[in-house]
Amino acid sequence: MELSDVMRTCRAIRRYTDEPVSDELLMDCLRLAVCAPSGSNQQKWRFCILRSAKIHQLLGKTYKQGWADYAAQMKLERPSADDASRSARFIRSMFELVENFDTVPAYVMFCALRTPFMEELYTGASIYPAMQNFILAAREKGLGTVITTWYRLCEEELKELVGVPEGWVVAALLPVGYPKGKFGPIKRRPAEEATCIDHWDATLSNPE
Ligand SMILES: Cc1cc2nc3c(=O)[nH]c(=O)nc-3n(C[C@H](O)[C@H](O)[C@H](O)COP(=O)(O)O)c2cc1C
């Protein structure tokens, strides 16, 4: 696959088959993840492949609760199965992700060492490029994943289980598996709407 095809079809995948995902395959993706840049090339990152039953249980319970609270707050209900609209498919996929979170084949937790005297964005900028490389590499190998953040609701317990040392932050937790559905074209607003030349208001889609 061309890199541009990988990028254009790298949808967030939230539904996985039961097929196991080997450490070796995850390592193939992580070897590409570490090609990413980091501040001063410090590479202060740690990728934790999580497989233990205890962690699956903790995350499964937490993600179900997190989504239940969020869905109640946002008044979201599970769309009927015959609703094929994009938003219905998106909300259904969120329901399915949390309902099956405890049986996801594997998770990869991306951690970064907090850089002293630098703003948080700097730490983030030193881990998210590696995460995106991982996501693209996984897509190329037929694996699906999605960035998730609800681990924050059980972050201390999770860090303790994994033994994350002081000073390290969890940047995101990615469930990984073979997709149940299909990879497909992603939908984004045109880059021209977000790009300007010389002046903020002079976007390529609306030049002054
Ligand atoms: C910072 C960040 C946090 C995200 N958190 C979650 C999350 O907690 N749960 C989830 O299902 N998706 C999460 N996502 C995935 C986004 O919803 C997804 O990337 C976006 O909707 C685009 O999806 P698409 O590539 O399939 O079009 C997150 C993405 C980012 C960049």
Side-chain angles (χ1 to χ4, degrees):
M1 270 181 106
E2 298 266 347
L3 177 60
S4 51
D5 293 328
V6 171
M7 288 175 159
R8 288 196 189 100
T9 60
C10 194
R11 267 188 193 161
I13 300 290
R14 298 187 177 84
R15 300 183 311 130
Y16 313 101
T17 68
D18 295 335
E19 189 175 344
V21 177
S22 69
D23 285 345
E24 199 36 53
L25 193 49
L26 291 174
M27 283 315 302
D28 285 345
C29 300
L30 289 166
R31 287 185 193 104
L32 292 168
V34 300
C35 296
S38 59
S40 305
N41 199 20
Q42 288 273 304
Q43 304 167 61
K44 298 288 189 194
W45 44 43
R46 176 82 77 180
F47 316 112
C48 308
I49 298 175
L50 305 179
R51 296 192 179 279
S52 88
K54 215 168 176 178
I55 291 175
H56 271 75
Q57 262 169 23
L58 172 66
L59 292 172
K61 188 179 73 177
T62 304
Y63 274 59
K64 265 188 200 118
Q65 192 56 53
W67 173 249
D69 293 346
Y70 178 78
Q73 214 179 339
M74 302 300 288
K75 299 190 173 27
L76 289 175
E77 282 182 15
R78 194 189 187 106
S80 68
D82 57 357
D83 186 345
S85 65
R86 206 169 177 102
S87 70
R89 284 185 283 132
F90 173 68
I91 296 169
R92 260 200 309 273
S93 78
M94 297 292 277
F95 273 93
E96 282 200 39
L97 175 72
V98 298
E99 282 162 7
N100 300 296
F101 211 73
D102 51 352
T103 58
V104 166
Y107 316 100
V108 182
M109 185 167 81
F110 284 74
C111 302
L113 184 64
R114 180 106 176 66
T115 316
F117 317 117
M118 297 297 257
E119 73 267 41
E120 250 177 57
L121 200 55
Y122 184 92
T123 305
S126 290
I127 185 72
Y128 293 121
M131 196 183 301
Q132 182 64 12
N133 269 9
F134 174 84
I135 292 170
L136 293 171
R139 161 67 191 102
E140 197 242 349
K141 292 170 198 324
L143 289 172
T145 186
V146 59
I147 294 172
T148 75
T149 46
W150 277 324
Y151 65 85
R152 281 186 161 277
L153 299 171
C154 64
E155 189 163 351
E156 287 318 308
E157 205 178 332
L158 181 63
K159 278 175 148 179
E160 183 144 349
L161 277 176
V162 180
V164 178
E166 198 62 32
W168 285 77
V169 293
V170 180
L173 183 113
L174 276 61
V176 187
Y178 289 95
K180 251 192 190 164
K182 282 186 290 211
F183 290 107
I186 49 141
K187 194 167 175 236
R188 299 288 187 267
R189 285 200 288 272
E192 287 75 3
E193 277 183 18
T195 310
C196 62
I197 296 181
D198 288 337
H199 189 278
W200 187 271
D201 294 330
T203 60
L204 291 183
S205 60
N206 191 19
E208 298 255 287

Short mmCIF file of all heavy atoms in Angstrom, two decimals, residues 9-48:
data_model
loop_
_atom_site.label_atom_id
_atom_site.label_comp_id
_atom_site.label_asym_id
_atom_site.label_seq_id
_atom_site.Cartn_x
_atom_site.Cartn_y
_atom_site.Cartn_z
N THR A 9 -7.21 5.93 4.48
CA THR A 9 -8.16 4.88 4.90
C THR A 9 -7.93 4.47 6.36
O THR A 9 -8.38 3.41 6.77
CB THR A 9 -8.01 3.63 4.00
OG1 THR A 9 -6.67 3.13 4.12
CG2 THR A 9 -8.33 3.93 2.56
N CYS A 10 -7.26 5.34 7.08
CA CYS A 10 -6.90 4.99 8.46
C CYS A 10 -7.98 5.48 9.42
O CYS A 10 -7.75 6.37 10.23
CB CYS A 10 -5.54 5.59 8.79
SG CYS A 10 -4.85 4.89 10.29
N ARG A 11 -9.14 4.89 9.29
CA ARG A 11 -10.25 5.26 10.17
C ARG A 11 -10.03 4.80 11.60
O ARG A 11 -9.31 3.83 11.84
CB ARG A 11 -11.50 4.49 9.72
CG ARG A 11 -12.37 5.21 8.76
CD ARG A 11 -13.62 4.38 8.62
NE ARG A 11 -14.41 4.82 7.49
CZ ARG A 11 -15.33 4.07 6.92
NH1 ARG A 11 -15.55 2.84 7.33
NH2 ARG A 11 -16.04 4.55 5.92
N ALA A 12 -10.71 5.46 12.53
CA ALA A 12 -10.74 4.97 13.91
C ALA A 12 -11.52 3.65 13.89
O ALA A 12 -12.65 3.60 13.41
CB ALA A 12 -11.45 5.98 14.80
N ILE A 13 -10.90 2.59 14.38
CA ILE A 13 -11.56 1.27 14.41
C ILE A 13 -11.89 0.93 15.86
O ILE A 13 -11.00 0.89 16.71
CB ILE A 13 -10.65 0.19 13.78
CG1 ILE A 13 -10.31 0.52 12.32
CG2 ILE A 13 -11.27 -1.20 13.90
CD1 ILE A 13 -11.44 0.41 11.32
N ARG A 14 -13.18 0.68 16.11
CA ARG A 14 -13.63 0.43 17.50
C ARG A 14 -14.24 -0.96 17.70
O ARG A 14 -14.65 -1.29 18.79
CB ARG A 14 -14.66 1.49 17.90
CG ARG A 14 -14.14 2.90 17.90
CD ARG A 14 -15.13 3.90 18.47
NE ARG A 14 -14.56 5.23 18.51
CZ ARG A 14 -14.56 6.08 17.48
NH1 ARG A 14 -15.12 5.74 16.34
NH2 ARG A 14 -14.00 7.28 17.59
N ARG A 15 -14.31 -1.73 16.61
CA ARG A 15 -14.89 -3.07 16.74
C ARG A 15 -13.86 -4.07 16.22
O ARG A 15 -13.33 -3.92 15.11
CB ARG A 15 -16.18 -3.17 15.92
CG ARG A 15 -17.23 -2.17 16.40
CD ARG A 15 -18.54 -2.29 15.66
NE ARG A 15 -18.36 -2.31 14.23
CZ ARG A 15 -18.91 -3.21 13.42
NH1 ARG A 15 -19.66 -4.17 13.90
NH2 ARG A 15 -18.72 -3.15 12.11
N TYR A 16 -13.59 -5.10 17.04
CA TYR A 16 -12.51 -6.03 16.71
C TYR A 16 -13.01 -7.47 16.72
O TYR A 16 -13.91 -7.82 17.48
CB TYR A 16 -11.37 -5.90 17.73
CG TYR A 16 -11.00 -4.46 17.99
CD1 TYR A 16 -11.43 -3.80 19.14
CD2 TYR A 16 -10.25 -3.73 17.06
CE1 TYR A 16 -11.12 -2.47 19.37
CE2 TYR A 16 -9.94 -2.40 17.29
CZ TYR A 16 -10.39 -1.77 18.45
OH TYR A 16 -10.08 -0.45 18.66
N THR A 17 -12.37 -8.29 15.89
CA THR A 17 -12.66 -9.72 15.94
C THR A 17 -11.91 -10.31 17.15
O THR A 17 -11.11 -9.64 17.79
CB THR A 17 -12.16 -10.42 14.66
OG1 THR A 17 -10.73 -10.38 14.66
CG2 THR A 17 -12.70 -9.76 13.39
N ASP A 18 -12.16 -11.60 17.40
CA ASP A 18 -11.49 -12.26 18.54
C ASP A 18 -10.07 -12.69 18.18
O ASP A 18 -9.34 -13.21 19.04
CB ASP A 18 -12.25 -13.54 18.94
CG ASP A 18 -13.62 -13.19 19.46
OD1 ASP A 18 -13.77 -12.06 19.95
OD2 ASP A 18 -14.53 -14.04 19.37
N GLU A 19 -9.70 -12.54 16.92
CA GLU A 19 -8.38 -13.03 16.50
C GLU A 19 -7.27 -12.37 17.32
O GLU A 19 -7.20 -11.14 17.43
CB GLU A 19 -8.18 -12.71 15.00
CG GLU A 19 -6.94 -13.36 14.45
CD GLU A 19 -6.82 -13.14 12.94
OE1 GLU A 19 -7.80 -12.77 12.26
OE2 GLU A 19 -5.70 -13.34 12.44
N PRO A 20 -6.38 -13.20 17.90
CA PRO A 20 -5.32 -12.61 18.72
C PRO A 20 -4.35 -11.77 17.89
O PRO A 20 -4.21 -11.99 16.69
CB PRO A 20 -4.58 -13.83 19.30
CG PRO A 20 -5.40 -15.01 18.97
CD PRO A 20 -6.31 -14.66 17.84
N VAL A 21 -3.72 -10.84 18.55
CA VAL A 21 -2.71 -9.99 17.91
C VAL A 21 -1.38 -10.29 18.61
O VAL A 21 -1.27 -10.11 19.82
CB VAL A 21 -3.07 -8.50 18.08
CG1 VAL A 21 -1.99 -7.61 17.49
CG2 VAL A 21 -4.42 -8.20 17.43
N SER A 22 -0.41 -10.73 17.85
CA SER A 22 0.83 -11.19 18.49
C SER A 22 1.71 -10.01 18.93
O SER A 22 1.64 -8.91 18.37
CB SER A 22 1.63 -12.06 17.52
OG SER A 22 2.13 -11.25 16.46
N ASP A 23 2.54 -10.29 19.91
CA ASP A 23 3.52 -9.27 20.34
C ASP A 23 4.43 -8.90 19.18
O ASP A 23 4.83 -7.75 19.02
CB ASP A 23 4.38 -9.81 21.49
CG ASP A 23 3.62 -9.86 22.80
OD1 ASP A 23 2.54 -9.24 22.90
OD2 ASP A 23 4.09 -10.55 23.74
N GLU A 24 4.76 -9.90 18.36
CA GLU A 24 5.68 -9.66 17.25
C GLU A 24 5.09 -8.63 16.27
O GLU A 24 5.79 -7.72 15.81
CB GLU A 24 6.01 -10.99 16.53
CG GLU A 24 7.25 -10.95 15.68
CD GLU A 24 8.41 -10.09 16.23
OE1 GLU A 24 8.83 -10.26 17.39
OE2 GLU A 24 8.86 -9.23 15.47
N LEU A 25 3.79 -8.78 15.99
CA LEU A 25 3.15 -7.84 15.08
C LEU A 25 3.09 -6.44 15.70
O LEU A 25 3.35 -5.43 15.03
CB LEU A 25 1.72 -8.34 14.75
CG LEU A 25 1.00 -7.67 13.60
CD1 LEU A 25 1.86 -7.61 12.36
CD2 LEU A 25 -0.30 -8.42 13.31
N LEU A 26 2.78 -6.40 16.98
CA LEU A 26 2.76 -5.09 17.66
C LEU A 26 4.16 -4.48 17.65
O LEU A 26 4.33 -3.28 17.46
CB LEU A 26 2.25 -5.24 19.10
CG LEU A 26 0.77 -5.60 19.23
CD1 LEU A 26 0.40 -5.87 20.69
CD2 LEU A 26 -0.13 -4.49 18.67
N MET A 27 5.17 -5.34 17.81
CA MET A 27 6.55 -4.83 17.79
C MET A 27 6.91 -4.29 16.41
O MET A 27 7.63 -3.30 16.29
CB MET A 27 7.54 -5.91 18.21
CG MET A 27 7.60 -6.18 19.71
SD MET A 27 7.66 -4.68 20.71
CE MET A 27 9.13 -3.89 20.08
N ASP A 28 6.40 -4.94 15.35
CA ASP A 28 6.65 -4.41 14.00
C ASP A 28 6.13 -2.98 13.90
O ASP A 28 6.75 -2.11 13.29
CB ASP A 28 5.95 -5.28 12.94
CG ASP A 28 6.67 -6.60 12.72
OD1 ASP A 28 7.83 -6.73 13.15
OD2 ASP A 28 6.05 -7.50 12.12
N CYS A 29 4.95 -2.75 14.49
CA CYS A 29 4.35 -1.40 14.45
C CYS A 29 5.15 -0.45 15.34
O CYS A 29 5.37 0.71 14.99
CB CYS A 29 2.90 -1.44 14.92
SG CYS A 29 1.85 -2.51 13.91
N LEU A 30 5.58 -0.95 16.49
CA LEU A 30 6.32 -0.08 17.43
C LEU A 30 7.71 0.27 16.90
O LEU A 30 8.25 1.34 17.17
CB LEU A 30 6.38 -0.73 18.81
CG LEU A 30 5.02 -0.74 19.53
CD1 LEU A 30 5.02 -1.67 20.73
CD2 LEU A 30 4.62 0.68 19.95
N ARG A 31 8.29 -0.64 16.09
CA ARG A 31 9.60 -0.32 15.49
C ARG A 31 9.45 0.83 14.49
O ARG A 31 10.41 1.57 14.25
CB ARG A 31 10.18 -1.56 14.79
CG ARG A 31 10.68 -2.60 15.80
CD ARG A 31 11.37 -3.79 15.14
NE ARG A 31 11.52 -4.84 16.12
CZ ARG A 31 10.78 -5.95 16.18
NH1 ARG A 31 9.83 -6.18 15.27
NH2 ARG A 31 10.96 -6.82 17.14
N LEU A 32 8.27 0.97 13.93
CA LEU A 32 8.01 2.12 13.05
C LEU A 32 7.61 3.33 13.88
O LEU A 32 7.92 4.47 13.51
CB LEU A 32 6.94 1.76 12.01
CG LEU A 32 7.42 0.70 11.00
CD1 LEU A 32 6.26 0.15 10.19
CD2 LEU A 32 8.49 1.28 10.08
N ALA A 33 6.94 3.08 14.99
CA ALA A 33 6.56 4.20 15.88
C ALA A 33 7.80 4.99 16.29
O ALA A 33 7.80 6.21 16.31
CB ALA A 33 5.83 3.67 17.11
N VAL A 34 8.88 4.26 16.61
CA VAL A 34 10.08 4.95 17.12
C VAL A 34 10.87 5.68 16.03
O VAL A 34 11.88 6.32 16.33
CB VAL A 34 11.03 4.01 17.91
CG1 VAL A 34 10.33 3.42 19.11
CG2 VAL A 34 11.63 2.93 17.02
N CYS A 35 10.40 5.61 14.78
CA CYS A 35 11.02 6.45 13.73
C CYS A 35 10.59 7.91 13.90
O CYS A 35 11.13 8.79 13.23
CB CYS A 35 10.60 5.97 12.35
SG CYS A 35 11.16 4.31 11.96
N ALA A 36 9.62 8.14 14.76
CA ALA A 36 9.07 9.50 14.92
C ALA A 36 10.07 10.42 15.61
O ALA A 36 10.94 9.96 16.36
CB ALA A 36 7.79 9.42 15.74
N PRO A 37 9.90 11.71 15.41
CA PRO A 37 10.76 12.66 16.13
C PRO A 37 10.29 12.85 17.56
O PRO A 37 9.13 12.58 17.89
CB PRO A 37 10.56 13.97 15.34
CG PRO A 37 9.19 13.85 14.77
CD PRO A 37 8.96 12.38 14.50
N SER A 38 11.21 13.29 18.41
CA SER A 38 10.85 13.73 19.77
C SER A 38 11.79 14.87 20.11
O SER A 38 12.85 15.00 19.48
CB SER A 38 10.99 12.57 20.76
OG SER A 38 12.31 12.08 20.76
N GLY A 39 11.41 15.69 21.09
CA GLY A 39 12.22 16.86 21.43
C GLY A 39 13.67 16.47 21.71
O GLY A 39 13.91 15.57 22.53
N SER A 40 14.61 17.10 21.05
CA SER A 40 16.05 16.82 21.17
C SER A 40 16.36 15.34 20.94
O SER A 40 17.36 14.83 21.45
CB SER A 40 16.59 17.22 22.55
OG SER A 40 16.30 18.57 22.80
N ASN A 41 15.50 14.67 20.25
CA ASN A 41 15.65 13.23 19.98
C ASN A 41 15.85 12.43 21.28
O ASN A 41 16.57 11.43 21.30
CB ASN A 41 16.81 12.99 19.01
CG ASN A 41 16.72 11.61 18.34
OD1 ASN A 41 15.66 10.99 18.30
ND2 ASN A 41 17.83 11.12 17.84
N GLN A 42 15.17 12.87 22.33
CA GLN A 42 15.36 12.24 23.65
C GLN A 42 14.70 10.86 23.74
O GLN A 42 15.12 10.03 24.53
CB GLN A 42 14.79 13.15 24.73
CG GLN A 42 15.63 14.40 24.97
CD GLN A 42 16.75 14.15 25.97
OE1 GLN A 42 16.49 13.74 27.09
NE2 GLN A 42 17.96 14.40 25.55
N GLN A 43 13.62 10.68 22.99
CA GLN A 43 12.94 9.36 22.95
C GLN A 43 12.55 8.87 24.34
O GLN A 43 12.71 7.69 24.66
CB GLN A 43 13.81 8.33 22.24
CG GLN A 43 14.21 8.78 20.84
CD GLN A 43 15.32 7.95 20.24
OE1 GLN A 43 15.16 6.74 20.06
NE2 GLN A 43 16.43 8.59 19.94
N LYS A 44 12.07 9.80 25.15
CA LYS A 44 11.66 9.41 26.51
C LYS A 44 10.24 8.87 26.45
O LYS A 44 9.29 9.53 26.87
CB LYS A 44 11.74 10.62 27.45
CG LYS A 44 13.14 11.18 27.58
CD LYS A 44 14.03 10.25 28.39
CE LYS A 44 15.35 10.94 28.69
NZ LYS A 44 16.37 10.06 29.17
N TRP A 45 10.12 7.73 25.83
CA TRP A 45 8.80 7.13 25.70
C TRP A 45 8.83 5.69 26.17
O TRP A 45 9.89 5.05 26.23
CB TRP A 45 8.30 7.21 24.25
CG TRP A 45 9.29 6.87 23.18
CD1 TRP A 45 10.20 5.85 23.15
CD2 TRP A 45 9.48 7.59 21.95
NE1 TRP A 45 10.93 5.88 21.99
CE2 TRP A 45 10.51 6.93 21.23
CE3 TRP A 45 8.88 8.70 21.37
CZ2 TRP A 45 10.94 7.36 19.98
CZ3 TRP A 45 9.30 9.12 20.12
CH2 TRP A 45 10.33 8.47 19.44
N ARG A 46 7.67 5.20 26.54
CA ARG A 46 7.54 3.78 26.92
C ARG A 46 6.21 3.33 26.35
O ARG A 46 5.19 4.00 26.51
CB ARG A 46 7.56 3.63 28.43
CG ARG A 46 7.34 2.20 28.90
CD ARG A 46 8.60 1.38 28.86
NE ARG A 46 9.47 1.71 29.97
CZ ARG A 46 10.66 1.16 30.20
NH1 ARG A 46 11.14 0.25 29.40
NH2 ARG A 46 11.38 1.53 31.23
N PHE A 47 6.26 2.19 25.66
CA PHE A 47 5.04 1.63 25.07
C PHE A 47 4.71 0.37 25.85
O PHE A 47 5.49 -0.59 25.83
CB PHE A 47 5.26 1.30 23.60
CG PHE A 47 6.00 2.39 22.86
CD1 PHE A 47 7.29 2.19 22.39
CD2 PHE A 47 5.42 3.64 22.67
CE1 PHE A 47 7.99 3.20 21.74
CE2 PHE A 47 6.10 4.66 22.02
CZ PHE A 47 7.38 4.43 21.55
N CYS A 48 3.60 0.37 26.53
CA CYS A 48 3.25 -0.78 27.37
C CYS A 48 2.18 -1.60 26.66
O CYS A 48 1.06 -1.12 26.44
CB CYS A 48 2.71 -0.31 28.72
SG CYS A 48 3.79 0.86 29.56
#
